[in-house]
């Protein structure tokens, strides 16, 4: 063989090998068919599912904030008539609808006038006065927890005023008690 015919033969062999390498070999067995999709089980109707799961008990949870004319007088911890009426209606009344009272938490609050120590003690006394009132109305004292918040969580911010009476009036919403009830309803 001459050199050019040898080169042509080698080139043809390379092309033939390249063609064989790029095309897949025919398979003796056909590829398996894809498996049929299985359907998911159908959930039971909602009414049957709801009947199987127990319904949670109804709650008698509530939060009552003494506000407006129900707040405490400046530097005082005694409850006024409006505060007592609100406690009777919204706390004692709500507790009467509870089958189980889990907890009653009373937060006492003070305004920013006075020292931190004074306001802490005043807010403690305010929370305790609400507790004493509720215990007198028949609420189990062991279910009641009190906490004095001092002047740390104001409900209203007021600018300093040269007129002390104006500042005291503006800060009245901060002199409050918040009663939170947790329990299950009857």
């Amino acid at each position: 063989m001459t050199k050019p015919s040898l080169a042509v033969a080698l080139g043809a062999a390379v092309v033939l090998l390249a063609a064989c390498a790029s095309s897949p070999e025919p398979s003796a067995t056909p590829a398996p068919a894809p498996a049929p999709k299985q359907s998911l089980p159908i959930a039971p109707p909602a009414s049957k599912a709801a009947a199987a799961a127990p319904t949670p008990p109804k709650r008698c949870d509530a939060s009552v904030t003494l506000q407006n004319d129900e707040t405490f007088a400046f530097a005082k911890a005694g409850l006024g008539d409006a505060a007592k009426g609100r406690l009777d209606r919204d706390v004692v009344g709500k507790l009467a609808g509870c089958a189980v009272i889990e907890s009653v938490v009373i937060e006492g609050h003070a305004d920013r006038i006075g020292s931190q120590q004074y306001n802490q003690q005043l807010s403690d006394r305010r929370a305790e006065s609400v507790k004493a009132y509720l215990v007198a109305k028949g609420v189990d004292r062991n279910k009641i927890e009190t906490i004095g918040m001092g002047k740390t969580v104001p409900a209203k911010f007021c600018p300093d005023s040269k007129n002390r009476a104006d500042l005291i009036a503006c800060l009245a919403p901060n002199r409050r008690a918040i009663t939170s009830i947790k329990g299950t309803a009857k």
Side-chain angles (χ1 to χ4, degrees):
M1 227 187 227
T2 64
K3 282 188 184 180
S5 57
L6 181 61
V8 170
L10 281 175
V14 169
V15 170
L16 184 61
L17 286 173
C20 289
S22 65
S23 65
E25 230 178 282
S27 174
T29 57
K37 292 185 179 179
Q38 295 182 1
S39 62
L40 297 174
I42 299 174
S47 61
K48 289 182 182 177
T55 53
K58 291 185 180 180
R59 304 289 301 168
C60 64
D61 300 350
S63 181
V64 177
T65 302
L66 297 180
Q67 52 195 0
N68 301 327
D69 61 339
E70 303 157 350
T71 61
F72 294 92
F74 179 70
K76 304 289 182 198
L79 293 169
D81 290 338
K84 290 176 183 178
R86 178 85 187 277
L87 291 171
D88 288 341
R89 183 180 68 250
D90 295 341
V91 176
V92 176
K94 185 71 168 181
L95 290 171
C98 293
V100 175
I101 299 170
E102 296 165 7
S103 68
V104 177
V105 178
I106 303 165
E107 296 176 12
H109 294 265
D111 62 30
R112 65 182 167 92
I113 300 172
S115 71
Q116 177 63 36
Q117 181 181 8
Y118 173 79
N119 281 312
Q120 182 61 49
Q121 292 170 351
L122 179 59
S123 66
D124 287 336
R125 288 195 327 266
R126 287 175 174 168
E128 287 296 326
S129 72
V130 173
K131 178 180 180 175
Y133 184 79
L134 295 177
V135 168
K137 291 292 186 167
V139 180
D140 181 359
R141 82 173 38 260
N142 296 319
K143 298 285 184 180
I144 302 174
E145 180 182 341
T146 61
I147 183 168
M149 302 301 286
K151 58 183 178 181
T152 61
V153 188
K156 184 175 183 184
F157 293 93
C158 299
D160 288 333
S161 174
K162 291 182 182 181
N163 185 335
R164 184 170 169 86
D166 289 345
L167 181 60
I168 289 170
C170 181
L171 293 171
N174 297 335
R175 299 186 294 271
R176 68 198 187 282
I178 301 171
T179 304
S180 299
I181 302 165
K182 299 261 185 240
T184 53
K186 290 182 179 175

